[in-house]
Amino acid sequence: MSNSAHNLDPDLRALQEVRDYVERSKKACEAVSHYSQAEIDNVCRAMAEAGAAAAYDLGRLAVEETGIGRVHYKVLKNLFGSLGIWESIKNEKSVGILSRDEKTGIVEVGTPSGVIAGIIPTTNPTSTALGKALIAVKGRNSIVISPHPRAKRCIGETVEVMRRAIERVGAPPDLVLSLSNPTIESTGALMKHKKVAIILATGGSGLVEAAYSSGKPAYGVGPGNVPAYVDRSADVVQAARAIVASQSFDNGTLCCSEQGIVLDKPIAERFLAEMQKRGAYLCNADETDKLAKYCNRRGHMNADVVGLDPWRIAENAGFRVPRETSLILAHQGGVGADWPLSIEILAPVLSVHVVDDWKQGCKVSMEMLQFGGLGHTCAVHAKDERVLDAWFLEKPASRIIVNGPSSQGAVGYSTWLMPSMSLGCSPLAGNITSDNITYKHLLNVKRAAYPRKDWEAIEKRDHERAAKFTRDFAPRGSGLAGDPAIVGGTFSPDVRSALKNERVQSNWQGNPVPASSPKAQAAPGSSHTTGVPRSFVDTPKAYAAPKAPAAPQPPASSAVFTTSVSPIGGASAGGASGVYSGSALSVNEIQSILSHAGSGCPLGPCKGCGHQDVQTGACKA
């Protein structure tokens, strides 16, 4: 770096880094744009294997730098974010022709989108960086990562691990880059950079909103406030085991982890006893009050509580629990601002809500989702199919985890959902998708389409339908027999006869105009006395057409088309009744239009045809 760059203000240096990194990333993306499927898969495999090999070191570094979570579970997340995600996509096509449908004739072709901007949170830094880089490069894209400032070192080291792996297989290491000194301004500049194709943002609602406001296509991943309902029909032991395992998974730092337990009254005491057997601590009223004051700061989660061990949370709140405590439980009488522990708390702390039946449980669960978790995830433990169906049909959540741990289930670790560290929350949360984000969302898919085998029959049928209204059985350019655009084409005698003799029928009855309306009075300067709007009668002076000599009235037999609708003012048109049957033009206006039809008739291109007799309307072709 030059001396002038060193002397730059830190904010300016961060912005310059964004520009430099995007340019480098773009060049790397272009360098692999013609890689085959085997070549790009070889790069991804190297990245995944390198991430798995460094899973422990990266996990330990993440905990040391951020103070969030537990090393053992960071290692599990890193293994999932590398090999787990790679296993789910390694056999998928992302290059060239993806599919051919012999039935429909559709050919799908995968092409790169370009530079991806990846925003990484502090809660799951290394595993999210691994996962986002893999799904980006799988589609021959490159990615520039903007790490959370509290996690920039561990994310930077994760990126270096992947860069060295990419370089070892002969690909450009700049396929994956991480900003070394991220700021709010530099992250905004990255998202708005003209050469960034897509934004993949994981974080709070503010970040997601900023991503969608950047003017770029974006996949935002919003917050969750996950309810877990335990029905009277549930296997209580299994439910307790699943929830404790989920909260213990890196101290509940995944946004899909349970935030509150909604218990059906008949099994509530038994369930809580089973939870206590597994190390859960149930707070009394005084401890609940202290916990609420520590975890909830002015209606929002205290950032200092995220990912802490339960004993440390209790100690910081002002009471003590055993060191081996797995999670902390606290009763709440409802959901909302009056119940501080009913918000999302990314830590092993769960609010407890006791209800009378599954319908009330449904109501409380819905309230939790609406209180900061719309579109994200919910969990239900039940064997009663009626209860399960109610959850499937009614809950505004994109993932519904059944009889299992919500944390591991929603990300596709314990379920067959698509493995991902980025979970879409649907338009309910302002997100563009409800999917678990994978390489397909970052892939540009082109489609080649052949005509349908029955296209000619469809075309002919629909032309016949349209001709019932237009009487034009072979419109210009249609290619049908009689198409006037075809050299030597002519109408058959029977078609010409039909065109000459058929009368165009209209079911238009006109809009009634009240007799008292000003429009029902005679328009000044017009010979008409019926209710015709001024805009159809009086031509503004600025746009008045030049006068033309009066044209002779065409013979009745010369008109190709006739109409059953009489001119306005005629007895059959309902002149006396004030029925408006369409726009009316004065004699001078009609003459002016006809006299200038050859130079571009305002009634449309057909009237401007060179073969059209402008005075009689007859076709001379």
Side-chain angles (χ1 to χ4, degrees):
M1 187 179 294
S2 65
N3 289 332
S4 59
H6 276 297
N7 294 330
L8 279 176
D9 177 87
D11 290 333
L12 293 177
R13 189 158 61 243
L15 293 175
Q16 186 60 48
E17 185 181 50
V18 169
R19 300 187 186 105
D20 294 342
Y21 277 24
V22 172
E23 290 294 337
R24 289 167 55 184
S25 185
K26 182 68 174 176
K27 291 179 181 178
C29 184
E30 292 171 349
V32 300
S33 62
H34 296 291
Y35 270 31
S36 67
Q37 186 71 69
E39 288 171 327
I40 203 66
D41 283 349
N42 190 41
V43 175
C44 291
R45 183 183 302 106
M47 293 167 60
E49 291 175 351
Y56 170 73
D57 291 329
L58 295 176
R60 179 176 51 80
L61 183 59
V63 174
E64 289 176 356
E65 182 180 15
T66 66
I68 293 174
R70 303 162 64 185
V71 173
H72 180 87
Y73 289 99
K74 292 293 187 191
V75 174
L76 287 182
K77 283 183 177 178
N78 288 339
L79 292 173
F80 173 76
S82 54
L83 291 180
I85 289 178
W86 170 240
E87 285 295 322
S88 71
I89 66 175
K90 68 177 184 180
N91 295 323
E92 297 289 328
K93 291 183 178 180
S94 61
V95 175
I97 294 180
L98 308 179
S99 66
R100 293 181 186 268
D101 191 320
E102 298 298 333
K103 181 179 179 181
T104 64
I106 301 294
V107 180
E108 293 188 331
V109 182
T111 61
S113 293
V115 178
I116 310 298
I119 317 301
I120 310 294
T122 187
T123 47
N124 309 292
T126 54
S127 53
T128 305
L130 288 166
K132 285 187 177 182
L134 273 173
I135 62 175
V137 176
K138 173 71 175 181
R140 294 179 296 175
N141 304 302
S142 57
I143 185 169
V144 177
I145 288 172
S146 178
H148 190 286
R150 281 181 57 191
K152 64 181 181 181
R153 183 186 170 202
C154 63
I155 292 173
E157 290 298 330
T158 303
V159 167
E160 281 303 311
V161 166
M162 290 186 284
R163 285 171 56 82
R164 290 193 293 271
I166 293 170
E167 196 169 26
R168 282 196 296 270
V169 295
D174 284 350
L175 285 172
V176 185
L177 288 163
S178 178
L179 300 179
S180 61
N181 187 33
T183 64
I184 293 175
E185 290 78 11
S186 67
T187 300
L190 174 64
M191 291 194 292
K192 294 180 180 180
H193 196 288
K194 63 181 180 179
K195 292 187 179 180
V196 166
I198 298 175
I199 300 168
L200 186 51
T202 304
S205 56
L207 171 64
V208 173
E209 184 177 349
Y212 281 115
S213 301
S214 68
K216 298 286 185 179
Y219 289 106
V221 180
N225 194 22
V226 179
Y229 173 67
V230 184
D231 186 63
R232 64 188 64 187
S233 67
D235 183 329
V236 171
V237 175
Q238 181 191 44
R241 180 182 183 279
I243 292 174
V244 170
S246 180
Q247 285 295 294
S248 298
F249 193 73
D250 205 25
N251 280 346
T253 50
L254 286 170
C255 53
C256 55
S257 64
E258 297 89 345
Q259 301 299 314
I261 310 173
V262 183
L263 301 177
D264 202 355
K265 193 172 183 178
I267 55 89
E269 291 301 324
R270 188 155 52 97
F271 175 83
L272 291 174
E274 192 63 39
M275 291 286 283
Q276 288 172 315
K277 289 180 182 178
R278 296 179 177 277
Y281 181 88
L282 182 62
C283 295
N284 59 33
D286 180 60
E287 292 166 340
T288 297
D289 184 58
K290 291 178 179 179
L291 187 67
K293 290 178 180 178
Y294 173 64
C295 293
N296 188 320
R297 298 291 172 85
R298 295 179 295 278
H300 300 282
M301 172 179 57
N302 178 8
D304 292 336
V305 78
V306 175
L308 294 183
D309 290 331
W311 68 269
R312 291 186 61 192
I313 295 173
E315 194 173 84
N316 292 346
F319 61 98
R320 292 183 177 276
V321 300
R323 285 289 185 109
E324 62 272 16
T325 298
S326 58
L327 64 147
I328 298 174
L329 305 174
H331 281 286
Q332 295 284 278
V335 176
D338 294 333
W339 303 99
L341 295 175
S342 64
I343 65 171
E344 179 190 44
I345 301 172
L346 296 178
V349 175
L350 291 178
S351 57
V352 178
H353 309 262
V354 179
V355 296
D356 285 333
D357 57 21
W358 71 267
K359 293 182 180 178
Q360 189 179 355
C362 187
K363 178 177 178 293
V364 173
S365 297
M366 194 82 78
E367 289 172 349
M368 284 193 64
L369 288 169
Q370 291 169 342
F371 193 53
L374 271 177
H376 206 294
T377 304
C378 71
V380 56
H381 297 265
K383 293 180 180 178
D384 190 331
E385 293 295 333
R386 296 175 306 159
V387 175
L388 295 177
D389 286 347
W391 254 253
F392 301 162
L393 294 171
E394 297 180 13
K395 293 298 167 290
S398 300
R399 283 154 292 275
I400 301 172
I401 308 305
V402 184
N403 297 328
S406 182
S407 295
Q408 297 94 319
V411 298
Y413 190 10
S414 65
T415 65
W416 286 106
L417 292 176
M418 192 67 187
S420 177
M421 294 300 294
S422 298
L423 311 180
C425 300
S426 83
L428 289 170
N431 297 175
I432 194 62
T433 183
S434 61
D435 295 343
N436 285 14
I437 307 300
T438 186
Y439 79 97
K440 291 182 179 180
H441 298 89
L442 308 180
L443 186 66
N444 184 42
V445 178
K446 301 186 295 185
R447 291 169 179 85
Y450 292 86
R452 297 169 53 141
K453 294 179 180 179
D454 56 352
W455 165 239
E456 291 186 4
I458 292 174
E459 184 183 30
K460 182 179 179 182
R461 178 199 66 194
D462 289 346
H463 274 301
E464 290 172 354
R465 288 177 175 175
K468 291 180 181 179
F469 300 98
T470 66
R471 317 314 303 168
D472 193 351
F473 291 90
R476 183 178 68 253
S478 65
L480 299 174
D483 180 350
I486 299 176
V487 176
T490 181
F491 290 112
S492 62
D494 58 328
V495 172
R496 182 171 292 283
S497 175
L499 290 175
K500 181 177 180 180
N501 296 327
E502 287 286 348
R503 295 168 62 84
V504 176
Q505 300 295 321
S506 172
N507 63 357
W508 172 251
Q509 300 299 317
N511 296 323
V513 179
S516 61
S517 170
K519 293 182 179 180
Q521 308 302 320
S526 171
S527 61
H528 299 302
T529 59
T530 56
V532 181
R534 286 181 62 92
S535 60
F536 289 105
V537 178
D538 295 340
T539 304
K541 293 181 179 180
Y543 300 99
K547 293 184 179 180
Q553 292 294 329
S557 60
S558 66
V560 177
F561 298 109
T562 60
T563 178
S564 61
V565 181
S566 301
I568 292 180
S572 63
S577 63
V579 174
Y580 172 51
S581 301
S583 62
L585 301 174
S586 68
V587 174
N588 288 340
E589 288 170 330
I590 294 172
Q591 291 173 345
S592 176
I593 288 171
L594 292 176
S595 65
H596 290 81
S599 61
C601 176
L603 293 182
C606 293
K607 294 293 183 181
C609 175
H611 299 296
Q612 194 82 21
D613 187 314
V614 297
Q615 295 191 4
T616 67
C619 180
K620 300 183 295 183

